[in-house]
Short mmCIF file of all heavy atoms in Angstrom, two decimals:
data_model
loop_
_atom_site.label_atom_id
_atom_site.label_comp_id
_atom_site.label_asym_id
_atom_site.label_seq_id
_atom_site.Cartn_x
_atom_site.Cartn_y
_atom_site.Cartn_z
N HIS F 1 0.64 -5.64 1.70
CA HIS F 1 0.27 -4.66 0.59
C HIS F 1 -0.72 -3.65 1.22
O HIS F 1 -1.82 -4.14 1.67
CB HIS F 1 -0.15 -5.24 -0.59
CG HIS F 1 -0.06 -4.36 -1.83
ND1 HIS F 1 1.04 -3.91 -2.41
CD2 HIS F 1 -1.14 -3.81 -2.56
CE1 HIS F 1 0.72 -3.06 -3.42
NE2 HIS F 1 -0.55 -3.10 -3.45
N GLU F 2 -0.34 -2.43 1.25
CA GLU F 2 -1.19 -1.45 1.84
C GLU F 2 -2.04 -0.64 0.76
O GLU F 2 -1.54 -0.20 -0.35
CB GLU F 2 -0.35 -0.34 2.64
CG GLU F 2 -1.16 0.79 3.18
CD GLU F 2 -0.12 1.83 3.81
OE1 GLU F 2 0.32 1.72 4.86
OE2 GLU F 2 0.08 2.77 3.03
N TYR F 3 -3.29 -0.53 0.97
CA TYR F 3 -4.24 0.13 0.13
C TYR F 3 -4.79 1.39 0.92
O TYR F 3 -5.43 1.28 1.94
CB TYR F 3 -5.45 -0.69 -0.28
CG TYR F 3 -5.09 -1.92 -1.10
CD1 TYR F 3 -4.59 -3.06 -0.53
CD2 TYR F 3 -5.26 -1.93 -2.42
CE1 TYR F 3 -4.25 -4.17 -1.17
CE2 TYR F 3 -5.01 -3.06 -3.19
CZ TYR F 3 -4.52 -4.18 -2.57
OH TYR F 3 -4.19 -5.31 -3.29
N GLU F 4 -4.39 2.55 0.40
CA GLU F 4 -4.85 3.80 1.04
C GLU F 4 -6.14 4.22 0.45
O GLU F 4 -6.33 4.41 -0.80
CB GLU F 4 -3.85 4.85 1.07
CG GLU F 4 -4.26 6.13 1.80
CD GLU F 4 -3.24 7.20 1.86
OE1 GLU F 4 -2.05 6.96 1.46
OE2 GLU F 4 -3.53 8.42 2.21
N MET F 5 -7.18 4.47 1.25
CA MET F 5 -8.52 4.84 0.84
C MET F 5 -8.54 6.40 0.70
O MET F 5 -7.61 7.18 1.21
CB MET F 5 -9.57 4.42 1.83
CG MET F 5 -9.70 2.90 1.99
SD MET F 5 -10.26 1.97 0.56
CE MET F 5 -8.71 1.37 -0.04
N GLU F 6 -9.55 6.86 0.01
CA GLU F 6 -9.70 8.36 -0.18
C GLU F 6 -9.76 9.15 1.03
O GLU F 6 -9.33 10.29 1.19
CB GLU F 6 -10.90 8.58 -1.05
CG GLU F 6 -11.01 10.02 -1.64
CD GLU F 6 -12.19 10.20 -2.62
OE1 GLU F 6 -12.98 9.29 -2.78
OE2 GLU F 6 -12.18 11.26 -3.20
N ASP F 7 -10.34 8.53 2.13
CA ASP F 7 -10.38 9.28 3.43
C ASP F 7 -9.18 9.09 4.36
O ASP F 7 -9.24 9.42 5.46
CB ASP F 7 -11.63 8.77 4.15
CG ASP F 7 -11.73 7.31 4.52
OD1 ASP F 7 -10.71 6.67 4.20
OD2 ASP F 7 -12.72 6.87 4.97
N GLY F 8 -8.18 8.39 3.83
CA GLY F 8 -6.87 8.31 4.57
C GLY F 8 -6.71 7.03 5.24
O GLY F 8 -5.60 6.67 5.74
N ARG F 9 -7.81 6.17 5.30
CA ARG F 9 -7.62 4.82 5.99
C ARG F 9 -6.71 3.97 5.20
O ARG F 9 -6.77 4.03 3.93
CB ARG F 9 -9.07 4.27 6.16
CG ARG F 9 -9.89 4.89 7.17
CD ARG F 9 -11.30 4.22 7.23
NE ARG F 9 -11.94 4.25 5.90
CZ ARG F 9 -12.29 3.17 5.21
NH1 ARG F 9 -12.04 1.97 5.60
NH2 ARG F 9 -12.89 3.29 4.10
N ARG F 10 -5.97 3.08 5.89
CA ARG F 10 -5.12 2.15 5.24
C ARG F 10 -5.60 0.74 5.57
O ARG F 10 -5.70 0.39 6.67
CB ARG F 10 -3.71 2.38 5.66
CG ARG F 10 -3.13 3.69 5.27
CD ARG F 10 -2.03 4.19 6.09
NE ARG F 10 -2.52 4.32 7.54
CZ ARG F 10 -1.71 4.65 8.56
NH1 ARG F 10 -0.41 4.73 8.40
NH2 ARG F 10 -2.18 4.88 9.75
N LEU F 11 -5.90 -0.11 4.57
CA LEU F 11 -6.29 -1.39 4.71
C LEU F 11 -5.06 -2.22 4.13
O LEU F 11 -4.55 -2.16 3.05
CB LEU F 11 -7.50 -1.83 3.83
CG LEU F 11 -8.71 -0.79 4.08
CD1 LEU F 11 -9.89 -1.38 3.37
CD2 LEU F 11 -9.01 -0.57 5.57
N ASN F 12 -4.59 -3.30 5.04
CA ASN F 12 -3.47 -4.12 4.69
C ASN F 12 -3.69 -5.45 4.34
O ASN F 12 -4.34 -6.11 5.20
CB ASN F 12 -2.49 -4.00 5.84
CG ASN F 12 -2.01 -2.60 6.33
OD1 ASN F 12 -1.30 -1.98 5.54
ND2 ASN F 12 -2.51 -2.07 7.38
N VAL F 13 -3.32 -5.86 3.19
CA VAL F 13 -3.68 -7.29 2.70
C VAL F 13 -2.40 -8.18 2.78
O VAL F 13 -1.26 -7.68 2.31
CB VAL F 13 -4.17 -7.32 1.30
CG1 VAL F 13 -4.30 -8.71 0.77
CG2 VAL F 13 -5.54 -6.51 1.25
N LEU F 14 -2.41 -9.22 3.36
CA LEU F 14 -1.29 -10.14 3.54
C LEU F 14 -1.20 -11.07 2.42
O LEU F 14 -2.29 -11.73 2.08
CB LEU F 14 -1.35 -10.84 4.85
CG LEU F 14 -0.77 -10.02 6.16
CD1 LEU F 14 -1.58 -8.75 6.37
CD2 LEU F 14 -0.77 -10.98 7.35
N ALA F 15 -0.03 -11.44 1.92
CA ALA F 15 0.22 -12.59 1.00
C ALA F 15 -0.68 -12.42 -0.21
O ALA F 15 -0.98 -13.53 -0.72
CB ALA F 15 0.02 -13.88 1.69
N GLU F 16 -0.89 -11.21 -0.70
CA GLU F 16 -1.76 -11.01 -1.97
C GLU F 16 -3.11 -11.67 -1.79
O GLU F 16 -3.75 -12.02 -2.85
CB GLU F 16 -1.05 -11.56 -3.20
CG GLU F 16 0.31 -10.90 -3.38
CD GLU F 16 1.16 -11.49 -4.57
OE1 GLU F 16 0.49 -12.26 -5.43
OE2 GLU F 16 2.34 -11.17 -4.68
N GLY F 17 -3.65 -11.96 -0.64
CA GLY F 17 -4.89 -12.61 -0.43
C GLY F 17 -4.77 -14.04 -0.68
O GLY F 17 -5.88 -14.70 -0.63
N ARG F 18 -3.66 -14.64 -0.79
CA ARG F 18 -3.55 -16.04 -0.98
C ARG F 18 -3.41 -16.70 0.33
O ARG F 18 -3.39 -16.10 1.33
CB ARG F 18 -2.34 -16.39 -1.95
CG ARG F 18 -2.49 -15.89 -3.36
CD ARG F 18 -1.41 -16.34 -4.30
NE ARG F 18 -1.48 -15.93 -5.60
CZ ARG F 18 -2.34 -16.37 -6.57
NH1 ARG F 18 -2.99 -17.54 -6.27
NH2 ARG F 18 -2.40 -15.92 -7.78
N LEU F 19 -3.27 -18.08 0.33
CA LEU F 19 -3.30 -18.83 1.49
C LEU F 19 -2.14 -18.34 2.41
O LEU F 19 -1.02 -18.65 2.16
CB LEU F 19 -3.08 -20.31 1.14
CG LEU F 19 -3.30 -21.37 2.22
CD1 LEU F 19 -4.61 -21.34 2.88
CD2 LEU F 19 -3.06 -22.72 1.54
N VAL F 20 -2.44 -17.62 3.44
CA VAL F 20 -1.52 -16.88 4.23
C VAL F 20 -0.48 -17.69 4.85
O VAL F 20 0.73 -17.40 4.87
CB VAL F 20 -2.15 -15.90 5.14
CG1 VAL F 20 -2.74 -16.68 6.45
CG2 VAL F 20 -1.23 -14.90 5.78
N ASN F 21 -0.82 -18.89 5.40
CA ASN F 21 0.15 -19.69 6.17
C ASN F 21 1.13 -20.38 5.19
O ASN F 21 2.06 -21.09 5.70
CB ASN F 21 -0.61 -20.70 6.99
CG ASN F 21 -1.46 -21.70 6.19
OD1 ASN F 21 -1.81 -21.33 5.06
ND2 ASN F 21 -1.65 -22.81 6.76
N LEU F 22 1.05 -20.25 3.82
CA LEU F 22 1.90 -20.87 2.94
C LEU F 22 2.44 -19.81 1.95
O LEU F 22 3.53 -20.07 1.28
CB LEU F 22 1.22 -22.08 2.20
CG LEU F 22 1.22 -23.25 3.00
CD1 LEU F 22 0.12 -24.16 2.39
CD2 LEU F 22 2.52 -24.03 2.97
N ALA F 23 1.73 -18.68 1.76
CA ALA F 23 2.13 -17.77 0.63
C ALA F 23 2.84 -16.60 1.11
O ALA F 23 3.43 -15.84 0.30
CB ALA F 23 0.87 -17.30 -0.13
N ALA F 24 2.83 -16.26 2.43
CA ALA F 24 3.59 -15.12 2.91
C ALA F 24 5.07 -15.30 2.88
O ALA F 24 5.53 -16.51 2.85
CB ALA F 24 3.15 -14.81 4.36
N PRO F 25 5.89 -14.25 2.85
CA PRO F 25 7.38 -14.52 2.64
C PRO F 25 7.94 -15.41 3.75
O PRO F 25 8.87 -16.19 3.32
CB PRO F 25 7.86 -13.09 2.76
CG PRO F 25 6.75 -12.20 2.34
CD PRO F 25 5.48 -12.83 2.74
N LEU F 26 7.53 -15.38 4.97
CA LEU F 26 8.11 -16.25 5.99
C LEU F 26 7.27 -17.40 6.27
O LEU F 26 7.53 -18.10 7.30
CB LEU F 26 8.15 -15.33 7.32
CG LEU F 26 9.12 -14.13 7.27
CD1 LEU F 26 9.13 -13.36 8.55
CD2 LEU F 26 10.51 -14.50 6.86
N ALA F 27 6.26 -17.75 5.50
CA ALA F 27 5.40 -18.85 5.73
C ALA F 27 6.01 -20.18 5.73
O ALA F 27 6.83 -20.47 4.76
CB ALA F 27 4.21 -18.77 4.78
N LEU F 28 5.69 -21.07 6.67
CA LEU F 28 6.26 -22.43 6.63
C LEU F 28 5.09 -23.43 6.59
O LEU F 28 5.40 -24.73 6.63
CB LEU F 28 7.12 -22.62 7.98
CG LEU F 28 8.28 -21.71 8.01
CD1 LEU F 28 8.95 -21.97 9.46
CD2 LEU F 28 9.33 -22.03 6.97
N GLY F 29 3.87 -23.00 6.50
CA GLY F 29 2.83 -24.01 6.50
C GLY F 29 2.45 -24.50 7.87
O GLY F 29 2.96 -24.06 8.93
N HIS F 30 1.70 -25.65 7.86
CA HIS F 30 1.36 -26.30 9.07
C HIS F 30 2.53 -26.87 9.85
O HIS F 30 3.52 -27.26 9.23
CB HIS F 30 0.38 -27.46 8.85
CG HIS F 30 -0.99 -26.96 8.41
ND1 HIS F 30 -1.36 -25.68 8.15
CD2 HIS F 30 -2.06 -27.69 8.00
CE1 HIS F 30 -2.53 -25.53 7.81
NE2 HIS F 30 -3.09 -26.85 7.61
N PRO F 31 2.46 -27.07 11.19
CA PRO F 31 3.47 -27.68 11.94
C PRO F 31 3.80 -29.05 11.46
O PRO F 31 2.89 -29.82 10.82
CB PRO F 31 2.94 -27.79 13.36
CG PRO F 31 1.89 -26.71 13.46
CD PRO F 31 1.26 -26.56 12.12
N VAL F 32 5.03 -29.54 11.52
CA VAL F 32 5.46 -30.79 11.02
C VAL F 32 4.68 -31.97 11.53
O VAL F 32 4.23 -32.80 10.76
CB VAL F 32 6.95 -31.03 11.21
CG1 VAL F 32 7.39 -32.28 10.72
CG2 VAL F 32 7.79 -29.87 10.76
N GLU F 33 4.46 -31.96 12.78
CA GLU F 33 3.67 -33.17 13.42
C GLU F 33 2.25 -33.36 12.76
O GLU F 33 1.81 -34.46 12.64
CB GLU F 33 3.63 -32.98 14.91
CG GLU F 33 5.00 -32.96 15.64
CD GLU F 33 5.44 -31.50 15.78
OE1 GLU F 33 5.09 -30.63 15.03
OE2 GLU F 33 6.26 -31.36 16.72
N VAL F 34 1.63 -32.20 12.52
CA VAL F 34 0.26 -32.15 11.99
C VAL F 34 0.34 -32.75 10.63
O VAL F 34 -0.48 -33.66 10.25
CB VAL F 34 -0.31 -30.75 11.97
CG1 VAL F 34 -1.57 -30.71 11.17
CG2 VAL F 34 -0.57 -30.33 13.43
N MET F 35 1.27 -32.29 9.77
CA MET F 35 1.28 -32.79 8.40
C MET F 35 1.70 -34.28 8.27
O MET F 35 1.39 -34.96 7.28
CB MET F 35 2.21 -31.95 7.48
CG MET F 35 1.60 -30.46 7.32
SD MET F 35 -0.14 -30.37 6.89
CE MET F 35 -0.14 -31.32 5.35
N ASP F 36 2.47 -34.76 9.32
CA ASP F 36 2.87 -36.09 9.32
C ASP F 36 1.52 -37.01 9.35
O ASP F 36 1.44 -37.99 8.67
CB ASP F 36 3.63 -36.35 10.63
CG ASP F 36 4.22 -37.75 10.69
OD1 ASP F 36 4.43 -38.33 9.70
OD2 ASP F 36 4.28 -38.33 11.84
N GLN F 37 0.52 -36.54 10.13
CA GLN F 37 -0.69 -37.27 10.23
C GLN F 37 -1.40 -37.22 8.78
O GLN F 37 -1.84 -38.25 8.24
CB GLN F 37 -1.55 -36.79 11.21
CG GLN F 37 -1.03 -36.86 12.70
CD GLN F 37 -1.78 -36.26 13.79
OE1 GLN F 37 -1.42 -36.27 14.89
NE2 GLN F 37 -2.96 -35.85 13.42
N SER F 38 -1.54 -36.02 8.26
CA SER F 38 -2.24 -35.92 7.00
C SER F 38 -1.64 -36.63 5.83
O SER F 38 -2.27 -37.32 5.14
CB SER F 38 -2.40 -34.41 6.66
OG SER F 38 -3.13 -33.75 7.57
N PHE F 39 -0.36 -36.59 5.87
CA PHE F 39 0.40 -37.24 4.70
C PHE F 39 0.44 -38.75 4.94
O PHE F 39 0.55 -39.49 4.04
CB PHE F 39 1.68 -36.62 4.45
CG PHE F 39 1.74 -35.25 3.85
CD1 PHE F 39 2.65 -34.27 4.15
CD2 PHE F 39 0.72 -34.84 3.12
CE1 PHE F 39 2.68 -33.05 3.61
CE2 PHE F 39 0.61 -33.50 2.54
CZ PHE F 39 1.67 -32.70 2.78
N GLY F 40 0.39 -39.18 6.22
CA GLY F 40 0.27 -40.56 6.52
C GLY F 40 -1.05 -41.10 5.86
O GLY F 40 -1.07 -42.24 5.22
N VAL F 41 -2.14 -40.36 6.02
CA VAL F 41 -3.45 -40.78 5.43
C VAL F 41 -3.29 -40.75 3.92
O VAL F 41 -3.76 -41.65 3.21
CB VAL F 41 -4.48 -39.93 5.89
CG1 VAL F 41 -5.85 -40.23 5.27
CG2 VAL F 41 -4.65 -39.97 7.52
N GLN F 42 -2.63 -39.76 3.38
CA GLN F 42 -2.49 -39.67 1.77
C GLN F 42 -1.74 -40.92 1.35
O GLN F 42 -2.22 -41.57 0.34
CB GLN F 42 -1.69 -38.38 1.46
CG GLN F 42 -2.45 -37.12 1.54
CD GLN F 42 -3.20 -36.96 0.24
OE1 GLN F 42 -3.56 -37.91 -0.50
NE2 GLN F 42 -3.57 -35.68 -0.01
N ALA F 43 -0.72 -41.23 1.98
CA ALA F 43 0.11 -42.46 1.54
C ALA F 43 -0.69 -43.71 1.64
O ALA F 43 -0.70 -44.55 0.70
CB ALA F 43 1.42 -42.49 2.32
N ALA F 44 -1.36 -43.83 2.70
CA ALA F 44 -2.27 -45.08 2.94
C ALA F 44 -3.39 -45.15 1.89
O ALA F 44 -3.70 -46.24 1.41
CB ALA F 44 -2.86 -45.05 4.29
N CYS F 45 -3.95 -43.93 1.52
CA CYS F 45 -4.92 -43.91 0.49
C CYS F 45 -4.43 -44.27 -0.85
O CYS F 45 -5.14 -44.90 -1.70
CB CYS F 45 -5.64 -42.59 0.46
SG CYS F 45 -6.70 -42.33 1.87
N VAL F 46 -3.28 -43.72 -1.25
CA VAL F 46 -2.68 -44.11 -2.58
C VAL F 46 -2.46 -45.60 -2.60
O VAL F 46 -2.79 -46.29 -3.60
CB VAL F 46 -1.35 -43.44 -2.73
CG1 VAL F 46 -0.60 -43.83 -3.95
CG2 VAL F 46 -1.58 -41.86 -2.90
#
């Protein structure tokens, strides 16, 4: 999303300022192998 300032400068915000690696249109989040570790810990903690 592009915001044009009064002096003509353009500032571009990705994914509405939300978590970019999950909220952008093409976002897939963390690599699978990384989340395998995190979710293994989650399951063990439950």
Side-chain angles (χ1 to χ4, degrees):
H1 195 68
E2 177 189 278
Y3 296 80
E4 183 175 348
M5 302 292 101
E6 190 172 8
D7 58 8
R9 289 176 303 117
R10 294 156 297 174
L11 312 185
N12 299 291
V13 175
L14 277 62
E16 300 178 15
R18 295 189 180 277
L19 192 57
V20 68
N21 61 337
L22 282 158
L26 298 175
L28 297 174
H30 290 358
V32 178
E33 299 94 333
V34 168
M35 293 313 301
D36 186 32
Q37 298 178 184
S38 295
F39 289 152
V41 176
Q42 282 278 22
C45 285
V46 170

